[in-house]
PDB file of all heavy atoms in Angstrom:
ATOM      1  N   PHE A  98     -29.674 -76.701  12.412  1.00 98.00           N
ATOM      2  CA  PHE A  98     -30.305 -75.604  11.666  1.00 98.00           C
ATOM      3  C   PHE A  98     -31.804 -75.860  11.616  1.00 98.00           C
ATOM      4  O   PHE A  98     -32.228 -76.960  11.233  1.00 98.00           O
ATOM      5  CB  PHE A  98     -29.787 -75.555  10.224  1.00 98.00           C
ATOM      6  CG  PHE A  98     -28.337 -75.182  10.110  1.00 98.00           C
ATOM      7  CD1 PHE A  98     -27.348 -76.158  10.158  1.00 98.00           C
ATOM      8  CD2 PHE A  98     -27.954 -73.857   9.946  1.00 98.00           C
ATOM      9  CE1 PHE A  98     -26.005 -75.819  10.051  1.00 98.00           C
ATOM     10  CE2 PHE A  98     -26.611 -73.510   9.840  1.00 98.00           C
ATOM     11  CZ  PHE A  98     -25.630 -74.494   9.893  1.00 98.00           C
ATOM     12  N   ASP A 140     -27.103 -73.062  15.059  1.00 98.00           N
ATOM     13  CA  ASP A 140     -26.854 -71.889  14.224  1.00 98.00           C
ATOM     14  C   ASP A 140     -27.611 -70.721  14.849  1.00 98.00           C
ATOM     15  O   ASP A 140     -28.808 -70.821  15.118  1.00 98.00           O
ATOM     16  CB  ASP A 140     -27.378 -72.152  12.806  1.00 98.00           C
ATOM     17  CG  ASP A 140     -27.001 -71.033  11.849  1.00 98.00           C
ATOM     18  OD1 ASP A 140     -25.802 -70.707  11.773  1.00 98.00           O
ATOM     19  OD2 ASP A 140     -27.904 -70.477  11.193  1.00 98.00           O
ATOM     20  N   CYS A 142     -28.647 -67.393  13.858  1.00 97.00           N
ATOM     21  CA  CYS A 142     -28.758 -66.472  12.730  1.00 97.00           C
ATOM     22  C   CYS A 142     -30.216 -66.350  12.344  1.00 97.00           C
ATOM     23  O   CYS A 142     -31.010 -67.257  12.607  1.00 97.00           O
ATOM     24  CB  CYS A 142     -27.951 -67.007  11.548  1.00 97.00           C
ATOM     25  SG  CYS A 142     -27.694 -65.772  10.251  1.00 97.00           S
ATOM     26  N   ASP A 144     -31.479 -65.798   9.144  1.00 96.00           N
ATOM     27  CA  ASP A 144     -31.869 -65.988   7.734  1.00 96.00           C
ATOM     28  C   ASP A 144     -32.855 -67.129   7.509  1.00 96.00           C
ATOM     29  O   ASP A 144     -33.643 -67.093   6.569  1.00 96.00           O
ATOM     30  CB  ASP A 144     -30.640 -66.186   6.840  1.00 96.00           C
ATOM     31  CG  ASP A 144     -29.891 -67.471   7.142  1.00 96.00           C
ATOM     32  OD1 ASP A 144     -29.590 -67.713   8.318  1.00 96.00           O
ATOM     33  OD2 ASP A 144     -29.614 -68.231   6.208  1.00 96.00           O
ATOM     34  N   GLU A 145     -32.816 -68.132   8.369  1.00 95.00           N
ATOM     35  CA  GLU A 145     -33.762 -69.232   8.208  1.00 95.00           C
ATOM     36  C   GLU A 145     -35.194 -68.788   8.542  1.00 95.00           C
ATOM     37  O   GLU A 145     -36.150 -69.468   8.173  1.00 95.00           O
ATOM     38  CB  GLU A 145     -33.392 -70.410   9.125  1.00 95.00           C
ATOM     39  CG  GLU A 145     -32.061 -71.098   8.765  1.00 95.00           C
ATOM     40  CD  GLU A 145     -30.878 -70.614   9.602  1.00 95.00           C
ATOM     41  OE1 GLU A 145     -30.817 -69.381   9.870  1.00 95.00           O
ATOM     42  OE2 GLU A 145     -30.022 -71.418   9.971  1.00 95.00           O
ATOM     43  N   CYS A 152     -29.748 -62.219   6.979  1.00 96.00           N
ATOM     44  CA  CYS A 152     -29.295 -62.715   8.283  1.00 96.00           C
ATOM     45  C   CYS A 152     -29.614 -61.746   9.414  1.00 96.00           C
ATOM     46  O   CYS A 152     -29.281 -61.997  10.572  1.00 96.00           O
ATOM     47  CB  CYS A 152     -27.796 -62.992   8.245  1.00 96.00           C
ATOM     48  SG  CYS A 152     -27.380 -64.345   7.128  1.00 96.00           S
ATOM     49  N   SER A 188     -23.647 -66.937  13.005  1.00 97.00           N
ATOM     50  CA  SER A 188     -23.132 -67.000  11.637  1.00 97.00           C
ATOM     51  C   SER A 188     -23.518 -65.801  10.792  1.00 97.00           C
ATOM     52  O   SER A 188     -23.309 -65.793   9.586  1.00 97.00           O
ATOM     53  CB  SER A 188     -23.624 -68.287  10.960  1.00 97.00           C
ATOM     54  OG  SER A 188     -25.028 -68.289  10.819  1.00 97.00           O
ATOM     55  N   TYR A 215     -18.307 -67.643  14.044  1.00 97.00           N
ATOM     56  CA  TYR A 215     -17.979 -67.688  12.613  1.00 97.00           C
ATOM     57  C   TYR A 215     -17.111 -66.451  12.396  1.00 97.00           C
ATOM     58  O   TYR A 215     -17.613 -65.349  12.199  1.00 97.00           O
ATOM     59  CB  TYR A 215     -19.233 -67.586  11.770  1.00 97.00           C
ATOM     60  CG  TYR A 215     -20.081 -68.831  11.664  1.00 97.00           C
ATOM     61  CD1 TYR A 215     -20.666 -69.419  12.774  1.00 97.00           C
ATOM     62  CD2 TYR A 215     -20.314 -69.414  10.415  1.00 97.00           C
ATOM     63  CE1 TYR A 215     -21.468 -70.551  12.647  1.00 97.00           C
ATOM     64  CE2 TYR A 215     -21.118 -70.539  10.286  1.00 97.00           C
ATOM     65  CZ  TYR A 215     -21.693 -71.102  11.402  1.00 97.00           C
ATOM     66  OH  TYR A 215     -22.494 -72.208  11.270  1.00 97.00           O
ATOM     67  N   LYS A 218     -15.986 -65.430   7.619  1.00 97.00           N
ATOM     68  CA  LYS A 218     -17.062 -66.032   6.819  1.00 97.00           C
ATOM     69  C   LYS A 218     -17.202 -65.223   5.537  1.00 97.00           C
ATOM     70  O   LYS A 218     -17.552 -64.045   5.560  1.00 97.00           O
ATOM     71  CB  LYS A 218     -18.375 -66.039   7.594  1.00 97.00           C
ATOM     72  CG  LYS A 218     -19.495 -66.649   6.768  1.00 97.00           C
ATOM     73  CD  LYS A 218     -20.750 -66.914   7.561  1.00 97.00           C
ATOM     74  CE  LYS A 218     -21.821 -67.478   6.636  1.00 97.00           C
ATOM     75  NZ  LYS A 218     -23.096 -67.690   7.292  1.00 97.00           N
ATOM     76  N   PHE A 223     -20.431 -70.999  -2.909  1.00 97.00           N
ATOM     77  CA  PHE A 223     -20.589 -72.391  -2.476  1.00 97.00           C
ATOM     78  C   PHE A 223     -21.674 -72.591  -1.413  1.00 97.00           C
ATOM     79  O   PHE A 223     -21.894 -73.700  -0.961  1.00 97.00           O
ATOM     80  CB  PHE A 223     -19.251 -72.960  -1.996  1.00 97.00           C
ATOM     81  CG  PHE A 223     -18.261 -73.128  -3.123  1.00 97.00           C
ATOM     82  CD1 PHE A 223     -17.297 -72.167  -3.368  1.00 97.00           C
ATOM     83  CD2 PHE A 223     -18.308 -74.242  -3.950  1.00 97.00           C
ATOM     84  CE1 PHE A 223     -16.391 -72.309  -4.412  1.00 97.00           C
ATOM     85  CE2 PHE A 223     -17.415 -74.399  -4.992  1.00 97.00           C
ATOM     86  CZ  PHE A 223     -16.446 -73.425  -5.231  1.00 97.00           C
ATOM     87  N   TYR A 224     -22.330 -71.498  -0.981  1.00 96.00           N
ATOM     88  CA  TYR A 224     -23.482 -71.667  -0.084  1.00 96.00           C
ATOM     89  C   TYR A 224     -24.743 -72.037  -0.861  1.00 96.00           C
ATOM     90  O   TYR A 224     -25.786 -72.269  -0.262  1.00 96.00           O
ATOM     91  CB  TYR A 224     -23.797 -70.379   0.696  1.00 96.00           C
ATOM     92  CG  TYR A 224     -22.700 -69.867   1.592  1.00 96.00           C
ATOM     93  CD1 TYR A 224     -22.405 -68.511   1.654  1.00 96.00           C
ATOM     94  CD2 TYR A 224     -21.972 -70.737   2.390  1.00 96.00           C
ATOM     95  CE1 TYR A 224     -21.400 -68.031   2.476  1.00 96.00           C
ATOM     96  CE2 TYR A 224     -20.960 -70.260   3.207  1.00 96.00           C
ATOM     97  CZ  TYR A 224     -20.676 -68.906   3.240  1.00 96.00           C
ATOM     98  OH  TYR A 224     -19.682 -68.430   4.046  1.00 96.00           O
ATOM     99  N   PHE A 227     -27.157 -74.747   0.289  1.00 93.00           N
ATOM    100  CA  PHE A 227     -27.700 -74.475   1.632  1.00 93.00           C
ATOM    101  C   PHE A 227     -29.004 -73.698   1.534  1.00 93.00           C
ATOM    102  O   PHE A 227     -29.911 -73.882   2.341  1.00 93.00           O
ATOM    103  CB  PHE A 227     -26.671 -73.676   2.440  1.00 93.00           C
ATOM    104  CG  PHE A 227     -27.126 -73.274   3.822  1.00 93.00           C
ATOM    105  CD1 PHE A 227     -26.905 -74.096   4.916  1.00 93.00           C
ATOM    106  CD2 PHE A 227     -27.748 -72.045   4.041  1.00 93.00           C
ATOM    107  CE1 PHE A 227     -27.305 -73.713   6.194  1.00 93.00           C
ATOM    108  CE2 PHE A 227     -28.138 -71.655   5.317  1.00 93.00           C
ATOM    109  CZ  PHE A 227     -27.917 -72.494   6.388  1.00 93.00           C
ATOM    110  N   ARG A 228     -29.087 -72.842   0.536  1.00 89.00           N
ATOM    111  CA  ARG A 228     -30.302 -72.031   0.397  1.00 89.00           C
ATOM    112  C   ARG A 228     -31.500 -72.944   0.173  1.00 89.00           C
ATOM    113  O   ARG A 228     -32.585 -72.695   0.670  1.00 89.00           O
ATOM    114  CB  ARG A 228     -30.146 -71.026  -0.755  1.00 89.00           C
ATOM    115  CG  ARG A 228     -28.902 -70.138  -0.640  1.00 89.00           C
ATOM    116  CD  ARG A 228     -29.137 -68.926   0.238  1.00 89.00           C
ATOM    117  NE  ARG A 228     -27.875 -68.390   0.764  1.00 89.00           N
ATOM    118  CZ  ARG A 228     -27.090 -67.511   0.157  1.00 89.00           C
ATOM    119  NH1 ARG A 228     -27.427 -67.038  -1.017  1.00 89.00           N
ATOM    120  NH2 ARG A 228     -25.980 -67.086   0.733  1.00 89.00           N
ATOM    121  N   ARG A 239     -25.316 -61.358   0.217  1.00 95.00           N
ATOM    122  CA  ARG A 239     -24.967 -61.002   1.594  1.00 95.00           C
ATOM    123  C   ARG A 239     -23.663 -60.216   1.655  1.00 95.00           C
ATOM    124  O   ARG A 239     -22.939 -60.248   2.645  1.00 95.00           O
ATOM    125  CB  ARG A 239     -24.812 -62.269   2.427  1.00 95.00           C
ATOM    126  CG  ARG A 239     -25.983 -63.229   2.397  1.00 95.00           C
ATOM    127  CD  ARG A 239     -25.913 -64.185   3.561  1.00 95.00           C
ATOM    128  NE  ARG A 239     -26.785 -65.336   3.474  1.00 95.00           N
ATOM    129  CZ  ARG A 239     -28.115 -65.308   3.611  1.00 95.00           C
ATOM    130  NH1 ARG A 239     -28.730 -64.160   3.804  1.00 95.00           N
ATOM    131  NH2 ARG A 239     -28.819 -66.427   3.540  1.00 95.00           N
ATOM    132  N   GLN A 243     -21.074 -60.353   4.774  1.00 95.00           N
ATOM    133  CA  GLN A 243     -20.046 -61.400   4.678  1.00 95.00           C
ATOM    134  C   GLN A 243     -18.826 -60.848   3.940  1.00 95.00           C
ATOM    135  O   GLN A 243     -18.911 -59.865   3.215  1.00 95.00           O
ATOM    136  CB  GLN A 243     -20.619 -62.622   3.961  1.00 95.00           C
ATOM    137  CG  GLN A 243     -21.796 -63.216   4.723  1.00 95.00           C
ATOM    138  CD  GLN A 243     -22.382 -64.446   4.064  1.00 95.00           C
ATOM    139  OE1 GLN A 243     -22.094 -64.743   2.903  1.00 95.00           O
ATOM    140  NE2 GLN A 243     -23.228 -65.150   4.789  1.00 95.00           N
ATOM    141  N   LYS A 270     -14.886 -70.295   7.142  1.00 98.00           N
ATOM    142  CA  LYS A 270     -15.934 -70.835   6.284  1.00 98.00           C
ATOM    143  C   LYS A 270     -16.004 -70.046   4.994  1.00 98.00           C
ATOM    144  O   LYS A 270     -16.009 -68.819   5.077  1.00 98.00           O
ATOM    145  CB  LYS A 270     -17.242 -70.706   7.052  1.00 98.00           C
ATOM    146  CG  LYS A 270     -18.459 -71.139   6.333  1.00 98.00           C
ATOM    147  CD  LYS A 270     -19.651 -70.929   7.231  1.00 98.00           C
ATOM    148  CE  LYS A 270     -20.883 -71.397   6.511  1.00 98.00           C
ATOM    149  NZ  LYS A 270     -22.072 -71.138   7.256  1.00 98.00           N
ATOM    150  N   TYR A 293     -15.596 -75.057   8.290  1.00 98.00           N
ATOM    151  CA  TYR A 293     -16.891 -75.567   7.833  1.00 98.00           C
ATOM    152  C   TYR A 293     -16.780 -75.912   6.350  1.00 98.00           C
ATOM    153  O   TYR A 293     -16.612 -75.039   5.519  1.00 98.00           O
ATOM    154  CB  TYR A 293     -17.962 -74.500   8.066  1.00 98.00           C
ATOM    155  CG  TYR A 293     -19.411 -74.969   8.000  1.00 98.00           C
ATOM    156  CD1 TYR A 293     -20.362 -74.403   8.843  1.00 98.00           C
ATOM    157  CD2 TYR A 293     -19.828 -75.943   7.114  1.00 98.00           C
ATOM    158  CE1 TYR A 293     -21.698 -74.794   8.801  1.00 98.00           C
ATOM    159  CE2 TYR A 293     -21.160 -76.355   7.067  1.00 98.00           C
ATOM    160  CZ  TYR A 293     -22.085 -75.774   7.908  1.00 98.00           C
ATOM    161  OH  TYR A 293     -23.399 -76.161   7.852  1.00 98.00           O
ATOM    162  N   ILE A 295     -18.632 -76.545   3.464  1.00 98.00           N
ATOM    163  CA  ILE A 295     -20.025 -76.134   3.273  1.00 98.00           C
ATOM    164  C   ILE A 295     -20.738 -76.918   2.171  1.00 98.00           C
ATOM    165  O   ILE A 295     -20.153 -77.748   1.486  1.00 98.00           O
ATOM    166  CB  ILE A 295     -20.115 -74.616   3.001  1.00 98.00           C
ATOM    167  CG1 ILE A 295     -19.355 -74.250   1.730  1.00 98.00           C
ATOM    168  CG2 ILE A 295     -19.595 -73.836   4.203  1.00 98.00           C
ATOM    169  CD1 ILE A 295     -19.602 -72.828   1.272  1.00 98.00           C
ATOM    170  N   SER A 296     -22.020 -76.570   2.034  1.00 98.00           N
ATOM    171  CA  SER A 296     -22.912 -77.317   1.134  1.00 98.00           C
ATOM    172  C   SER A 296     -22.362 -77.442  -0.284  1.00 98.00           C
ATOM    173  O   SER A 296     -22.436 -78.513  -0.888  1.00 98.00           O
ATOM    174  CB  SER A 296     -24.284 -76.637   1.120  1.00 98.00           C
ATOM    175  OG  SER A 296     -24.158 -75.273   0.744  1.00 98.00           O
ATOM    176  N   TYR A 335     -20.891 -82.493   6.137  1.00 98.00           N
ATOM    177  CA  TYR A 335     -22.113 -83.290   5.971  1.00 98.00           C
ATOM    178  C   TYR A 335     -21.792 -84.774   5.865  1.00 98.00           C
ATOM    179  O   TYR A 335     -22.680 -85.602   5.942  1.00 98.00           O
ATOM    180  CB  TYR A 335     -22.892 -82.778   4.746  1.00 98.00           C
ATOM    181  CG  TYR A 335     -23.320 -81.334   4.933  1.00 98.00           C
ATOM    182  CD1 TYR A 335     -22.582 -80.276   4.386  1.00 98.00           C
ATOM    183  CD2 TYR A 335     -24.428 -81.019   5.712  1.00 98.00           C
ATOM    184  CE1 TYR A 335     -22.951 -78.947   4.593  1.00 98.00           C
ATOM    185  CE2 TYR A 335     -24.808 -79.699   5.925  1.00 98.00           C
ATOM    186  CZ  TYR A 335     -24.061 -78.673   5.367  1.00 98.00           C
ATOM    187  OH  TYR A 335     -24.434 -77.369   5.601  1.00 98.00           O
TER     188      TYR A 335
HETATM  189  C1  PBG B   8     -26.294 -68.509   7.724  1.00 61.51           C
HETATM  190  C2  PBG B   8     -25.554 -69.729   7.326  1.00 61.51           C
HETATM  191  C3  PBG B   8     -25.266 -70.150   6.025  1.00 61.51           C
HETATM  192  C4  PBG B   8     -24.581 -71.352   6.148  1.00 61.51           C
HETATM  193  C5  PBG B   8     -24.472 -71.651   7.491  1.00 61.51           C
HETATM  194  N1  PBG B   8     -25.071 -70.613   8.212  1.00 61.51           N
HETATM  195  C6  PBG B   8     -25.665 -69.584   4.727  1.00 61.51           C
HETATM  196  C7  PBG B   8     -25.210 -68.264   4.298  1.00 61.51           C
HETATM  197  O1  PBG B   8     -24.441 -67.594   4.964  1.00 61.51           O
HETATM  198  O2  PBG B   8     -25.669 -67.839   3.246  1.00 61.51           O
HETATM  199  C8  PBG B   8     -24.065 -72.143   4.987  1.00 61.51           C
HETATM  200  C9  PBG B   8     -23.718 -73.565   5.258  1.00 61.51           C
HETATM  201  C10 PBG B   8     -23.503 -74.344   4.020  1.00 61.51           C
HETATM  202  O3  PBG B   8     -23.523 -73.805   2.892  1.00 61.51           O
HETATM  203  O4  PBG B   8     -23.299 -75.563   4.149  1.00 61.51           O
HETATM  204  N2  PBG B   8     -27.254 -68.814   8.709  1.00 61.51           N
END
Side-chain angles (χ1 to χ4, degrees):
F98 293 88
D140 187 53
C142 194
D144 66 310
E145 294 97 321
C152 294
S188 64
Y215 283 61
K218 180 170 178 184
F223 292 97
Y224 299 138
F227 177 90
R228 306 276 158 87
R239 307 198 194 288
Q243 299 181 346
K270 177 181 181 184
Y293 196 145
I295 61 170
S296 56
Y335 298 98

